[in-house]
Amino acid sequence: MKIKVWVNGKLVQDDIAPDMTLFNYLRDKGYKSVKCGCDTSNCGLCTVWVEEKAVLSCSVLAMRVDGKHVTTLEGLQDEAEAFGMMLASEGAEQCGYCSPGLIMNVLRMKRELKNPTDEEIKAYLSGNLCRCTGYMGQLRAIKKYMSQNGEA
């Protein structure tokens, strides 16, 4: 099956198997920030944006993004680095395996929510699992990042 997709603004055309997931497609294309930790759509590590909406790439068939725009962490490097520094300053970087998916969702949240409460932040990120941090450092970093003025 032929697809045409823009990944981080770059047009890519390929012939893919009809059952290939977006996760596998992106990994095969070298986007190594997209990770998988569960194979059950429960951990959030594989989060990417499709048409500016956060999705779990392990549960989306690659053919579903035909003609669409996909954004990975590699396409948001400056913003990701800024938030990543806040994670580190709050002691929330730990092993870092969950960080790409978390960062993708936090950057999306910054665009969608204005002045969210702690409960709104927790609800928005409920699908992001971390096995190291205990979440409090992450929450501090997120609140700091969300309180910054201007665009993300």
Side-chain angles (χ1 to χ4, degrees), residues 28-89:
D28 288 352
K29 289 294 175 188
Y31 297 99
K32 301 302 184 190
S33 72
V34 185
K35 297 179 180 174
C36 188
C38 69
D39 282 329
T40 58
S41 303
N42 287 312
C43 71
L45 271 66
C46 67
T47 301
V48 298
W49 298 351
V50 176
E51 297 296 323
E52 301 294 316
K53 180 181 178 204
V55 300
L56 300 172
S57 64
C58 73
S59 62
V60 173
L61 291 175
M63 67 181 201
R64 302 283 297 189
V65 300
D66 183 36
K68 297 184 178 176
H69 294 83
V70 175
T71 306
T72 69
L73 193 63
E74 289 88 350
L76 299 164
Q77 205 61 40
D78 290 339
E79 291 176 69
E81 185 176 330
F83 178 64
M85 296 301 284
M86 287 184 181
L87 280 174
S89 73

Side-chain angles (χ1 to χ4, degrees), residues 6 20 30 50 62 64 82 117 119 137 142 144:
W6 286 263
M20 179 178 241
V50 176
R64 302 283 297 189
T117 65
E119 292 308 312
I142 291 164
K144 189 183 294 183

